[in-house]
Amino acid sequence: MPASAPGATLRGFQPRDVPVVSHIVAESLHEHYDSSLYFSLSQQWPSGFLIAADPSGTPVGFLLGVTQIEGEARILMFAVERNWRTRGVGTALMNEFLERCRVRGMRRATLEVRVSNVSAIRFYTRFRFGVTDLLRGYYSDGESGYQMARDLR
Ligand SMILES: CC(C)(COP(=O)(O)OP(=O)(O)OC[C@H]1O[C@@H](n2cnc3c(N)ncnc32)[C@H](O)[C@@H]1OP(=O)(O)O)[C@@H](O)C(=O)NCCC(=O)NCCS
């Protein structure tokens, strides 16, 4: 069994997780995606879609990574339900994800984050991600983003 955070257990994504994951995405990332997106992305790299679940099995956070470039993992979505934040769930998800990237021989991990998302930028910096680019007007509401990346060796 993969790592765990206090009160939460990490496991792979299952189709029945979609409604709760969609809710976390709406509440935390203010985005709305069709259910089919989660199914198709989970098939692309099943080990890259990690769920943190409470003792009843209900998702309280998740990290969805994809591989679009050879040797490179991209974190597409990452969020923890508000009431579960700052308890180490995000750290457990990120540690497990980076380990899975290494096991698969990935050399680099990337992500995008809103320039205003100071807490997430601080979190990623703690995980040795650094800003590699400014993405002007990257988000649908016009806000710019940072691309961040780190080596995995
Ligand atoms: C970013 C996010 C996923 C982090 O998840 P999390 O579960 O809160 O992460 P952790 O609890 O592991 O760490 C968060 C902070 O709490 C601290 N922390 C962890 N356990 C703690 C504890 N028991 N007591 C006090 N602080 C604690 C960590 O040191 C960390 O500090 P840092 O951000 O300065 O590095 C979460 O804040 C989130 O969902 N944000 C909204 C969505 C979002 O912005 N996603 C990223 C989009 S790019």
PDB file of all heavy atoms in Angstrom, residues 33-49:
ATOM      1  N   TYR A  33     -15.426  20.053 -15.394  1.00  0.00           N
ATOM      2  CA  TYR A  33     -15.079  19.203 -16.535  1.00  0.00           C
ATOM      3  C   TYR A  33     -16.082  18.070 -16.652  1.00  0.00           C
ATOM      4  O   TYR A  33     -16.646  17.612 -15.644  1.00  0.00           O
ATOM      5  CB  TYR A  33     -13.675  18.604 -16.354  1.00  0.00           C
ATOM      6  CG  TYR A  33     -12.586  19.632 -16.206  1.00  0.00           C
ATOM      7  CD1 TYR A  33     -11.912  19.780 -14.998  1.00  0.00           C
ATOM      8  CD2 TYR A  33     -12.231  20.454 -17.263  1.00  0.00           C
ATOM      9  CE1 TYR A  33     -10.905  20.730 -14.846  1.00  0.00           C
ATOM     10  CE2 TYR A  33     -11.228  21.407 -17.121  1.00  0.00           C
ATOM     11  CZ  TYR A  33     -10.568  21.533 -15.913  1.00  0.00           C
ATOM     12  OH  TYR A  33      -9.588  22.476 -15.770  1.00  0.00           O
ATOM     13  N   ASP A  34     -16.255  17.595 -17.880  1.00  0.00           N
ATOM     14  CA  ASP A  34     -17.109  16.445 -18.113  1.00  0.00           C
ATOM     15  C   ASP A  34     -16.490  15.198 -17.471  1.00  0.00           C
ATOM     16  O   ASP A  34     -15.263  15.055 -17.457  1.00  0.00           O
ATOM     17  CB  ASP A  34     -17.248  16.242 -19.633  1.00  0.00           C
ATOM     18  CG  ASP A  34     -18.390  15.321 -19.948  1.00  0.00           C
ATOM     19  OD1 ASP A  34     -19.531  15.808 -19.993  1.00  0.00           O
ATOM     20  OD2 ASP A  34     -18.138  14.108 -20.114  1.00  0.00           O
ATOM     21  N   SER A  35     -17.354  14.309 -16.949  1.00  0.00           N
ATOM     22  CA  SER A  35     -16.859  13.083 -16.309  1.00  0.00           C
ATOM     23  C   SER A  35     -15.923  12.300 -17.218  1.00  0.00           C
ATOM     24  O   SER A  35     -14.967  11.669 -16.762  1.00  0.00           O
ATOM     25  CB  SER A  35     -18.030  12.163 -15.950  1.00  0.00           C
ATOM     26  OG  SER A  35     -18.900  12.823 -15.095  1.00  0.00           O
ATOM     27  N   SER A  36     -16.206  12.329 -18.518  1.00  0.00           N
ATOM     28  CA  SER A  36     -15.408  11.526 -19.456  1.00  0.00           C
ATOM     29  C   SER A  36     -13.940  11.937 -19.445  1.00  0.00           C
ATOM     30  O   SER A  36     -13.064  11.130 -19.732  1.00  0.00           O
ATOM     31  CB  SER A  36     -15.973  11.649 -20.877  1.00  0.00           C
ATOM     32  OG  SER A  36     -15.937  13.000 -21.267  1.00  0.00           O
ATOM     33  N   LEU A  37     -13.656  13.205 -19.085  1.00  0.00           N
ATOM     34  CA  LEU A  37     -12.259  13.658 -19.032  1.00  0.00           C
ATOM     35  C   LEU A  37     -11.476  12.859 -17.990  1.00  0.00           C
ATOM     36  O   LEU A  37     -10.350  12.426 -18.250  1.00  0.00           O
ATOM     37  CB  LEU A  37     -12.192  15.155 -18.703  1.00  0.00           C
ATOM     38  CG  LEU A  37     -10.768  15.690 -18.613  1.00  0.00           C
ATOM     39  CD1 LEU A  37     -10.229  16.013 -19.990  1.00  0.00           C
ATOM     40  CD2 LEU A  37     -10.690  16.929 -17.732  1.00  0.00           C
ATOM     41  N   TYR A  38     -12.084  12.645 -16.817  1.00  0.00           N
ATOM     42  CA  TYR A  38     -11.392  11.916 -15.754  1.00  0.00           C
ATOM     43  C   TYR A  38     -11.146  10.459 -16.178  1.00  0.00           C
ATOM     44  O   TYR A  38     -10.084   9.910 -15.930  1.00  0.00           O
ATOM     45  CB  TYR A  38     -12.192  11.967 -14.457  1.00  0.00           C
ATOM     46  CG  TYR A  38     -12.397  13.371 -13.955  1.00  0.00           C
ATOM     47  CD1 TYR A  38     -13.613  14.026 -14.101  1.00  0.00           C
ATOM     48  CD2 TYR A  38     -11.351  14.068 -13.367  1.00  0.00           C
ATOM     49  CE1 TYR A  38     -13.798  15.322 -13.659  1.00  0.00           C
ATOM     50  CE2 TYR A  38     -11.530  15.376 -12.912  1.00  0.00           C
ATOM     51  CZ  TYR A  38     -12.755  15.992 -13.070  1.00  0.00           C
ATOM     52  OH  TYR A  38     -12.925  17.280 -12.640  1.00  0.00           O
ATOM     53  N   PHE A  39     -12.136   9.868 -16.841  1.00  0.00           N
ATOM     54  CA  PHE A  39     -11.960   8.474 -17.288  1.00  0.00           C
ATOM     55  C   PHE A  39     -10.828   8.378 -18.311  1.00  0.00           C
ATOM     56  O   PHE A  39      -9.951   7.526 -18.210  1.00  0.00           O
ATOM     57  CB  PHE A  39     -13.254   7.928 -17.908  1.00  0.00           C
ATOM     58  CG  PHE A  39     -14.395   7.840 -16.929  1.00  0.00           C
ATOM     59  CD1 PHE A  39     -15.614   8.441 -17.197  1.00  0.00           C
ATOM     60  CD2 PHE A  39     -14.245   7.142 -15.734  1.00  0.00           C
ATOM     61  CE1 PHE A  39     -16.661   8.373 -16.299  1.00  0.00           C
ATOM     62  CE2 PHE A  39     -15.296   7.060 -14.820  1.00  0.00           C
ATOM     63  CZ  PHE A  39     -16.502   7.669 -15.105  1.00  0.00           C
ATOM     64  N   SER A  40     -10.845   9.268 -19.292  1.00  0.00           N
ATOM     65  CA  SER A  40      -9.828   9.142 -20.347  1.00  0.00           C
ATOM     66  C   SER A  40      -8.434   9.452 -19.811  1.00  0.00           C
ATOM     67  O   SER A  40      -7.468   8.773 -20.149  1.00  0.00           O
ATOM     68  CB  SER A  40     -10.167   9.997 -21.567  1.00  0.00           C
ATOM     69  OG  SER A  40     -10.285  11.330 -21.192  1.00  0.00           O
ATOM     70  N   LEU A  41      -8.320  10.447 -18.916  1.00  0.00           N
ATOM     71  CA  LEU A  41      -6.993  10.763 -18.368  1.00  0.00           C
ATOM     72  C   LEU A  41      -6.497   9.639 -17.465  1.00  0.00           C
ATOM     73  O   LEU A  41      -5.303   9.350 -17.425  1.00  0.00           O
ATOM     74  CB  LEU A  41      -7.034  12.087 -17.600  1.00  0.00           C
ATOM     75  CG  LEU A  41      -7.221  13.334 -18.474  1.00  0.00           C
ATOM     76  CD1 LEU A  41      -7.427  14.565 -17.609  1.00  0.00           C
ATOM     77  CD2 LEU A  41      -6.037  13.537 -19.414  1.00  0.00           C
ATOM     78  N   SER A  42      -7.423   8.972 -16.766  1.00  0.00           N
ATOM     79  CA  SER A  42      -6.995   7.891 -15.877  1.00  0.00           C
ATOM     80  C   SER A  42      -6.473   6.708 -16.687  1.00  0.00           C
ATOM     81  O   SER A  42      -5.621   5.958 -16.224  1.00  0.00           O
ATOM     82  CB  SER A  42      -8.138   7.441 -14.974  1.00  0.00           C
ATOM     83  OG  SER A  42      -9.105   6.759 -15.721  1.00  0.00           O
ATOM     84  N   GLN A  43      -6.970   6.557 -17.899  1.00  0.00           N
ATOM     85  CA  GLN A  43      -6.498   5.444 -18.729  1.00  0.00           C
ATOM     86  C   GLN A  43      -5.132   5.734 -19.336  1.00  0.00           C
ATOM     87  O   GLN A  43      -4.347   4.831 -19.580  1.00  0.00           O
ATOM     88  CB  GLN A  43      -7.515   5.143 -19.824  1.00  0.00           C
ATOM     89  CG  GLN A  43      -8.661   4.325 -19.257  1.00  0.00           C
ATOM     90  CD  GLN A  43      -9.891   4.317 -20.125  1.00  0.00           C
ATOM     91  OE1 GLN A  43      -9.890   4.825 -21.236  1.00  0.00           O
ATOM     92  NE2 GLN A  43     -10.957   3.741 -19.605  1.00  0.00           N
ATOM     93  N   GLN A  44      -4.845   6.993 -19.541  1.00  0.00           N
ATOM     94  CA  GLN A  44      -3.578   7.374 -20.176  1.00  0.00           C
ATOM     95  C   GLN A  44      -2.382   6.958 -19.312  1.00  0.00           C
ATOM     96  O   GLN A  44      -1.402   6.446 -19.809  1.00  0.00           O
ATOM     97  CB  GLN A  44      -3.592   8.897 -20.406  1.00  0.00           C
ATOM     98  CG  GLN A  44      -2.545   9.375 -21.380  1.00  0.00           C
ATOM     99  CD  GLN A  44      -1.478  10.233 -20.709  1.00  0.00           C
ATOM    100  OE1 GLN A  44      -1.505  10.472 -19.506  1.00  0.00           O
ATOM    101  NE2 GLN A  44      -0.522  10.666 -21.494  1.00  0.00           N
ATOM    102  N   TRP A  45      -2.470   7.213 -18.005  1.00  0.00           N
ATOM    103  CA  TRP A  45      -1.397   6.797 -17.079  1.00  0.00           C
ATOM    104  C   TRP A  45      -2.071   6.495 -15.734  1.00  0.00           C
ATOM    105  O   TRP A  45      -2.120   7.360 -14.851  1.00  0.00           O
ATOM    106  CB  TRP A  45      -0.353   7.915 -16.936  1.00  0.00           C
ATOM    107  CG  TRP A  45       0.759   7.556 -15.983  1.00  0.00           C
ATOM    108  CD1 TRP A  45       1.161   6.307 -15.587  1.00  0.00           C
ATOM    109  CD2 TRP A  45       1.611   8.478 -15.293  1.00  0.00           C
ATOM    110  NE1 TRP A  45       2.208   6.388 -14.710  1.00  0.00           N
ATOM    111  CE2 TRP A  45       2.514   7.713 -14.508  1.00  0.00           C
ATOM    112  CE3 TRP A  45       1.706   9.871 -15.262  1.00  0.00           C
ATOM    113  CZ2 TRP A  45       3.483   8.291 -13.705  1.00  0.00           C
ATOM    114  CZ3 TRP A  45       2.684  10.454 -14.464  1.00  0.00           C
ATOM    115  CH2 TRP A  45       3.567   9.670 -13.702  1.00  0.00           C
ATOM    116  N   PRO A  46      -2.597   5.269 -15.556  1.00  0.00           N
ATOM    117  CA  PRO A  46      -3.373   4.954 -14.351  1.00  0.00           C
ATOM    118  C   PRO A  46      -2.634   5.254 -13.054  1.00  0.00           C
ATOM    119  O   PRO A  46      -3.233   5.771 -12.104  1.00  0.00           O
ATOM    120  CB  PRO A  46      -3.660   3.463 -14.507  1.00  0.00           C
ATOM    121  CG  PRO A  46      -3.652   3.235 -15.982  1.00  0.00           C
ATOM    122  CD  PRO A  46      -2.601   4.167 -16.528  1.00  0.00           C
ATOM    123  N   SER A  47      -1.323   4.986 -12.996  1.00  0.00           N
ATOM    124  CA  SER A  47      -0.585   5.219 -11.743  1.00  0.00           C
ATOM    125  C   SER A  47      -0.403   6.701 -11.442  1.00  0.00           C
ATOM    126  O   SER A  47      -0.002   7.059 -10.333  1.00  0.00           O
ATOM    127  CB  SER A  47       0.791   4.583 -11.797  1.00  0.00           C
ATOM    128  OG  SER A  47       0.721   3.300 -12.249  1.00  0.00           O
ATOM    129  N   GLY A  48      -0.656   7.552 -12.438  1.00  0.00           N
ATOM    130  CA  GLY A  48      -0.460   8.993 -12.230  1.00  0.00           C
ATOM    131  C   GLY A  48      -1.671   9.685 -11.636  1.00  0.00           C
ATOM    132  O   GLY A  48      -1.630  10.887 -11.382  1.00  0.00           O
ATOM    133  N   PHE A  49      -2.752   8.944 -11.418  1.00  0.00           N
ATOM    134  CA  PHE A  49      -3.984   9.534 -10.876  1.00  0.00           C
ATOM    135  C   PHE A  49      -4.160   8.976  -9.465  1.00  0.00           C
ATOM    136  O   PHE A  49      -4.633   7.855  -9.281  1.00  0.00           O
ATOM    137  CB  PHE A  49      -5.164   9.170 -11.765  1.00  0.00           C
ATOM    138  CG  PHE A  49      -6.406  10.011 -11.570  1.00  0.00           C
ATOM    139  CD1 PHE A  49      -7.409   9.999 -12.520  1.00  0.00           C
ATOM    140  CD2 PHE A  49      -6.578  10.827 -10.454  1.00  0.00           C
ATOM    141  CE1 PHE A  49      -8.571  10.762 -12.378  1.00  0.00           C
ATOM    142  CE2 PHE A  49      -7.718  11.599 -10.289  1.00  0.00           C
ATOM    143  CZ  PHE A  49      -8.719  11.555 -11.260  1.00  0.00           C
TER     144      PHE A  49
END
